[in-house]
Amino acid sequence: MFGFIELILVPIAFLLALSFGVALFAFWIWMLIDCIQSKALTDGEKIGWTLAIVLTHALGALIYLLAGRKKTA
C-alpha cells in the first residue's frame, strides 16, 4: 500500500506546509498591527492600508511592507 518513502515524506510535507501557513498568518497579523499602530500614517491612510491588508491577506501585507510602511527615525 504505502512504501517507506511515502510514510516519511507525507508527514514532512504536511509539517512544512503547516509551518508555512502559520508563518504567513503571523506575518499578516504583524503587518496589520503595525499598520493600525503606525504614527507615521494619517487616519485615512490607516483605513486604506488596513482594508487592503484585510481584504487581500498576505499579498496586501507584503505590499504594505514594501510600499506603505513608513520608516520612523
Side-chain angles (χ1 to χ4, degrees):
M1 185 175 275
F2 288 111
F4 179 73
I5 299 296
E6 287 85 7
L7 290 176
I8 298 297
L9 290 181
V10 170
I12 290 173
F14 174 75
L15 288 176
L16 285 173
L18 183 64
S19 299
F20 180 73
V22 168
L24 197 60
F25 182 71
F27 172 70
W28 180 73
I29 292 293
W30 173 37
M31 288 297 104
L32 189 58
I33 291 171
D34 183 78
C35 175
I36 292 169
Q37 293 182 344
S38 176
K39 294 186 184 344
L41 297 174
T42 66
D43 289 340
E45 289 174 326
K46 283 183 186 182
I47 291 170
W49 277 115
T50 301
L51 285 173
I53 293 169
V54 167
L55 295 176
T56 60
H57 197 65
L59 181 62
L62 183 62
I63 292 170
Y64 171 72
L65 176 68
L66 298 175
R69 190 172 187 218
K70 296 182 180 173
K71 306 288 188 243
T72 55

